[in-house]
Amino acid sequence: MNTLLDAVREGRMDDIRPLLARLDRGGRKAVLDELKVLRKEARGWRWGERTRVRKAILVAGAGCHTGAAGCATWLGGRDMRDWVHSPYPWVLEVLGDREPDWLADLARRLAARAVESDAEYRLVEELARRAGCPLPVSDGMVLAWAERVNSSRWQAGSEKPLVDVLRADARLDVLVPHLLTMPELPSVVAWVDSSSPANSWPAALTALVAEGLLDRAALLDACTARLLRGGKPTDLRFCLLVVRGLGPTSEEEAARVADWMAMAADGPSPVAGHAQEVLARLDAQGTLSVRQLAEVSGAVLFRTEKKLVRAQLIQLGKVLRRNASAAEELLPVIADAFGHPDTDAQERALKLAARALPAATPEVREEAARMASLLAPVHREAARAVFGDLLEDEPEAAYEEVLPPPPALRPLGPPPGSVAELTEEVTAALLSPDAEDITAFERALDGLVRYARTDREELVAALEPALAGQWWATAPKGEVEWRMSRNHYGLHIVVASLLGRVSRQSVHDGQAHPTGTRGCCHDALNGILYARLWEAAAEVRSGRPPYLLATPTWHTGTIAAGELVERLRGYQALGLRAGPVDFAQALLRVRRTDAKEAAQEASALGTEEGDRLAAWLLADEPLAAVIPRHVDTDVEVGRDWLRQTVIKARRVLLTTRDNPLVRQSFPRPFHWLGSAHSPRNQNCYCWIAESPQWTATLPEDGETLAAWLLPSVAACVQEQRGTAWLLPALAETGGPAAGAIHLALAYGLGARHAEDRLAAVDALLVLAARGRLDTALLGGELDVLLEQDSVKPNRLADSARTAAGTGAYGTVLSVLAPVLPALLAREKAPRGLSDLLAVAAECAEHSGPPTTGPVPGLAETAARGGTPQLVRQAVRLEAACRVAAG
């Protein structure tokens, strides 16, 4: 036994098999127990030594296992894969005496759980060969096989045709069917090079079907099922290419008519478009019944994609021309399209209804006439010509703007009532994905300070087992201190200090470490949070303060002025001085509106902190005033690596003034906030991961914060994704909402990505609901950004349409009215202008004309004549304004 263990410890791989051969079943079990201990011990070794010995442990352990299940678990352990050169040839050697059934069982188990590389694929393949069983198939096996196929295409520097590589694979008919059932296709399979589509997987598979090497029906069924199920766009594109490459016959398409109908109704646009084409062919062949056509049309006509809706209406028109008796079933479906948001679709549907009306029964006609009330006002006259007396005159209800209720302030609530409750909250704040939630973070931080003073021993005893799995709980103390001094670990810093995982000297060094000095607001705001955490780490060791002063009253981060006065009174009663960082953060968070009474009470305390609070409340000035003048600056938005040039774009940004009081009276981490800042002098190379803690740092000074964040928010109009995420939180901040917030909102409404535009719409509605939205100011900022091409009209139209869809028609129209004149005056109409006019027309049809009067240039555009979409929407908007005004 000792001889075998010595060979393992020394990494002598060639000696393991003969030494194993000398052991009986009991001897192998005893060695296995020793190997388990050694395996655990090796986790703390250096990488080079650990790798060499672990390979020997892996091989010896595989030979000592007598059951296939245990052997598979041993070989599949993640900690046993830390090697460069494969140990599996030695594994196969030590398993050379096993029975075929045992090897087959091991192969199946390994395939199901532990195939992540070519080496593991070859191990399973060899086990199956020795066992004489079929190759077990799993997602891991297929993924590794696809990678092998891709690698084997390149030989001697030249690319071998993919179809030739696949044709030579003896297991093709087993692996390909499983490939199409995987949750996601391997990237090497799904990716199609547009420059050589003939050498792609879809082309190769269809070629192999033609050669009879793959089952045509099975491949068609699998791809159709995957299109029906949905998935990643690349996966669906793959399946569409396969289906089109197979060229299904009319009989094959007809056998799957229910699938095509479901795809047309609910599939992504490319899939729905293909299904629509198939259904049109089936209808032309007489295979699709009128009832089936009505069913699928009812679903497609509710889709938002104009192309799909237009194609479906055209198809319905063809059927009505061919078969007038179909009107009875198709007219109700056509009438449903009267409520489609696209007015062109409404017009087409109305024309189809006129064609179908004579052949329909009176009941169906009356129902279609009732649906005509959904038509846009621009089509009301045409509807009266179609339906005549069937169309009832309905009195128009007075318009009422629909806005969401203003966001209610949510109090943080009382502190945790027991150590057990606090432990639960701290654990959740550290481990949950929402650890950055302001409420959870602030309650946990304040609770740690409170109970470190009153129930330290009980708190430590409760937290130690709850957080035993944290890296800093088991790592060497020196490593913990080194890592925490160089990286931000949030609340972990405070808990590690409380539990003694960092020394007093490290906490002192953390407090002394300069933060927020790199010249951008992201570093400055994060630096304030770091400073708060290190100060709290010191306070939980001292057990000095009874609570934190900067704990918010509400979820936004704001503190009620009267509550802060009471906290200072409590400190005074205990004879305590406030922590400098904690008090400075409290000042930035306190609500200064209508706080004269609180200022008098603070001054009456007779303490330095009370006097500072009183002066701060009475000043009621912004931390850093925003200069209401645009600053045009060039910013880097990308690089052209081919030409080795920097790609820049013009940005409209804002400057802030300095505030000497901050640099004189606040701790060093806050000094950046008090300096003057111009976007021309800022170079930010941060990897921007926006944090809700930023708005909680300055919850009552959103205008200043917006000015500082403008460079990163403005990046949303280019490639940057997610930089508009904080706009709704900015809309909830206190203080005035002036140029900076409205300029940030303008950028967000024109963002490149839909999720950023949605965040901006939320912010727009929040500002409007709070009565803080200046529509003329926002429209002016949008006008500037549209002029310099930072914001695209089509993206703004998407945002405006989303906002109007909530019922805020008047608000949206008042934002668009200042934007339209300059766009209409351009010599060449920009892309998306017709969409903007369509949204404005819809708003005017609901809320009435703009309060600012006629839109300059609209009448001239409407008078051009013809049927371009721009002219049609201009006519619609002008008609809506004229009717509403009349």
Side-chain angles (χ1 to χ4, degrees), residues 206-272:
T206 53
L208 294 172
V209 166
E211 296 175 16
L213 296 178
L214 288 175
D215 187 317
R216 174 188 174 85
L219 194 61
L220 185 58
D221 284 339
C223 287
T224 305
R226 197 175 189 95
L227 290 173
L228 188 61
R229 185 171 71 242
K232 293 173 59 178
T234 52
D235 293 359
L236 298 179
R237 182 190 179 204
F238 171 94
C239 292
L240 275 177
L241 290 172
V242 172
V243 169
R244 286 171 176 153
L246 291 174
T249 64
S250 300
E251 292 75 15
E252 288 173 328
E253 289 181 336
R256 297 168 175 81
V257 66
D259 294 338
W260 306 125
M261 291 174 64
M263 291 179 212
D266 300 316
S269 291
V271 176

Side-chain angles (χ1 to χ4, degrees), residues 263-288:
M263 291 179 212
D266 300 316
S269 291
V271 176
H274 176 78
Q276 201 176 43
E277 294 172 6
V278 174
L279 292 171
R281 286 197 296 270
L282 294 176
D283 177 62
Q285 297 161 7
T287 307
L288 193 69

Side-chain angles (χ1 to χ4, degrees), residues 399-412:
Y399 173 73
E400 183 176 351
E401 185 85 350
V402 178
L403 291 172
L409 289 172
R410 301 189 300 274
L412 257 67

Side-chain angles (χ1 to χ4, degrees), residues 621-633:
E621 295 176 354
L623 177 69
V626 180
I627 299 175
R629 184 174 63 250
H630 289 162
V631 176
D632 291 332
T633 182

Side-chain angles (χ1 to χ4, degrees), residues 64-206:
C64 288
H65 274 90
T66 56
C71 188
T73 302
W74 181 268
L75 291 173
R78 291 197 172 274
D79 63 328
M80 303 301 284
R81 302 184 189 183
D82 193 10
W83 38 261
V84 176
H85 301 292
S86 171
Y88 294 140
W90 287 286
V91 171
L92 290 167
E93 280 189 15
V94 300
L95 298 179
D97 58 347
R98 306 302 169 95
E99 296 294 325
D101 289 346
W102 193 96
L103 294 174
D105 188 18
L106 177 62
R108 285 192 295 271
R109 292 177 183 274
L110 287 176
R113 62 168 291 165
V115 177
E116 296 181 356
S117 67
D118 182 61
E120 289 154 353
Y121 176 88
R122 286 186 280 111
L123 172 63
V124 174
E125 184 180 46
E126 181 60 20
L127 288 170
R129 188 192 67 78
R130 294 186 181 189
C133 69
L135 180 71
V137 182
S138 66
D139 289 355
M141 287 290 289
V142 173
L143 178 59
W145 167 72
E147 295 284 357
R148 291 189 75 195
V149 169
N150 191 58
S151 300
S152 61
R153 292 171 59 185
W154 296 93
Q155 297 178 354
S158 61
E159 185 179 8
K160 189 176 181 181
L162 175 61
V163 67
D164 292 345
V165 177
L166 291 173
R167 187 186 294 113
D169 197 311
R171 298 182 177 88
L172 186 69
D173 59 339
V174 177
L175 293 165
V176 169
H178 186 91
L179 172 72
L180 296 171
T181 65
M182 294 173 66
E184 290 186 8
L185 294 176
S187 57
V188 296
V189 173
W191 184 72
V192 176
D193 186 354
S194 57
S195 63
S196 57
N199 205 23
S200 65
W201 278 77
L205 294 181
T206 53

Side-chain angles (χ1 to χ4, degrees), residues 560-576:
E563 186 171 343
L564 182 54
V565 172
E566 288 302 316
R567 292 175 187 174
L568 287 176
R569 185 173 285 117
Y571 268 58
Q572 182 187 36
L574 294 171
L576 296 176

Side-chain angles (χ1 to χ4, degrees), residues 429-485:
L430 291 176
L431 304 182
S432 73
D434 297 325
E436 287 295 324
D437 177 71
I438 296 170
T439 299
F441 172 84
E442 295 290 350
R443 283 179 58 83
L445 183 62
D446 180 64
L448 287 168
V449 171
R450 287 175 182 268
Y451 281 92
R453 175 185 173 92
T454 59
D455 299 276
R456 169 185 291 277
E457 293 183 3
E458 183 183 356
L459 179 59
V460 170
L463 286 174
E464 280 184 337
L467 301 174
Q470 296 298 306
W471 68 269
W472 45 261
T474 55
K477 194 171 183 178
E479 180 184 349
V480 174
E481 293 175 344
W482 185 85
R483 290 174 62 178
M484 285 196 171
S485 68

